[in-house]
Amino acid sequence: MKWLSPGRRWAGRAPLVVMALVLLLTTAMSLVIASFVHAQQENRFERETSAYTDAMVARLSEYERLLYATRAAWRVHPDLLDGPDFRSFVTGLELQRQYPGVQTIGYAALLPPGVDPGPLVSRLRQHVAADWTLRQGPSPQPTRVPISLLATTGAAEYRAQGYDLYSEPVRRAM
């Protein structure tokens, strides 16, 4: 081999050099393409999550406006604590059309410690339902928040009416 000319030596190694260059270029191109694909997927993920986040924020804003409207109605018309008037108010809100997903709107009265619930109970029995009762859950508290009024959009479920929200640890934590 010592007697071969330098050109012949390179000619024998040329396929090996070409193959090494092809492997090097393939590896480089794979890394470049992988980074482009990763960036594209990252942008797509960000775009999709932003769209869902914006839609969720918009929907929650609608529900927040519903809560503010209901609170404003109670401040202006305290007589809405009458069962039929409250149901009429909720019917006028067109919940199924305006606020899809909202099934019930209710009012829960805050009774601080030491406040006798008797006047509230008698008023609710007079204006909401004659059998309205205050019911407590597994861990009663000095502060009570009974669900006083409910108005539903579909089949009425009034089992929650009268239930003290603070007497359940999970709801109290909210």
Side-chain angles (χ1 to χ4, degrees):
M1 284 271 201
K2 289 184 183 182
W3 51 272
L4 290 175
S5 69
R8 286 189 171 231
R9 272 190 261 155
W10 279 108
R13 295 182 187 158
L16 184 60
V17 170
V18 168
M19 186 174 77
L21 285 173
V22 167
L23 285 174
L24 183 65
L25 287 173
T26 302
T27 303
M29 289 305 295
S30 296
L31 291 173
V32 168
I33 290 173
S35 70
F36 284 145
V37 168
H38 180 72
Q40 181 185 29
Q41 292 296 326
E42 185 79 20
N43 287 336
R44 181 177 175 221
F45 176 78
E46 289 295 325
R47 186 178 62 245
E48 293 291 326
T49 55
S50 290
Y52 284 111
T53 302
D54 292 345
M56 187 176 289
V57 166
R59 191 164 198 180
L60 287 174
S61 294
E62 289 175 17
Y63 294 154
E64 186 177 37
R65 285 192 301 269
L66 172 64
L67 291 173
Y68 285 134
T70 305
R71 183 179 72 179
W74 270 313
R75 287 189 176 195
V76 173
H77 301 289
D79 57 336
L80 281 180
L81 288 178
D82 178 41
D85 289 343
F86 181 66
R87 281 188 281 287
S88 174
F89 167 74
V90 171
T91 301
L93 291 174
E94 299 179 351
L95 291 180
Q96 291 179 333
R97 187 175 68 80
Q98 296 286 339
Y99 306 97
V102 175
Q103 298 174 2
T104 302
I105 292 184
Y107 171 75
L110 176 67
L111 299 174
V115 172
D116 178 28
L120 175 69
V121 170
S122 63
R123 180 171 181 214
L124 292 171
R125 282 183 182 158
Q126 180 183 9
H127 293 286
V128 177
D131 61 345
W132 195 97
T133 58
L134 176 63
R135 298 186 328 274
Q136 294 185 340
S139 65
Q141 300 294 312
T143 300
R144 294 185 244 179
V145 183
I147 299 172
S148 305
L149 289 169
L150 286 176
T152 64
T153 58
E157 276 287 333
Y158 289 104
R159 289 190 314 230
Q161 205 163 25
Y163 185 76
D164 179 11
L165 294 172
Y166 267 23
S167 65
E168 186 176 304
V170 174
R171 289 199 173 122
R172 187 173 56 247
M174 295 177 157

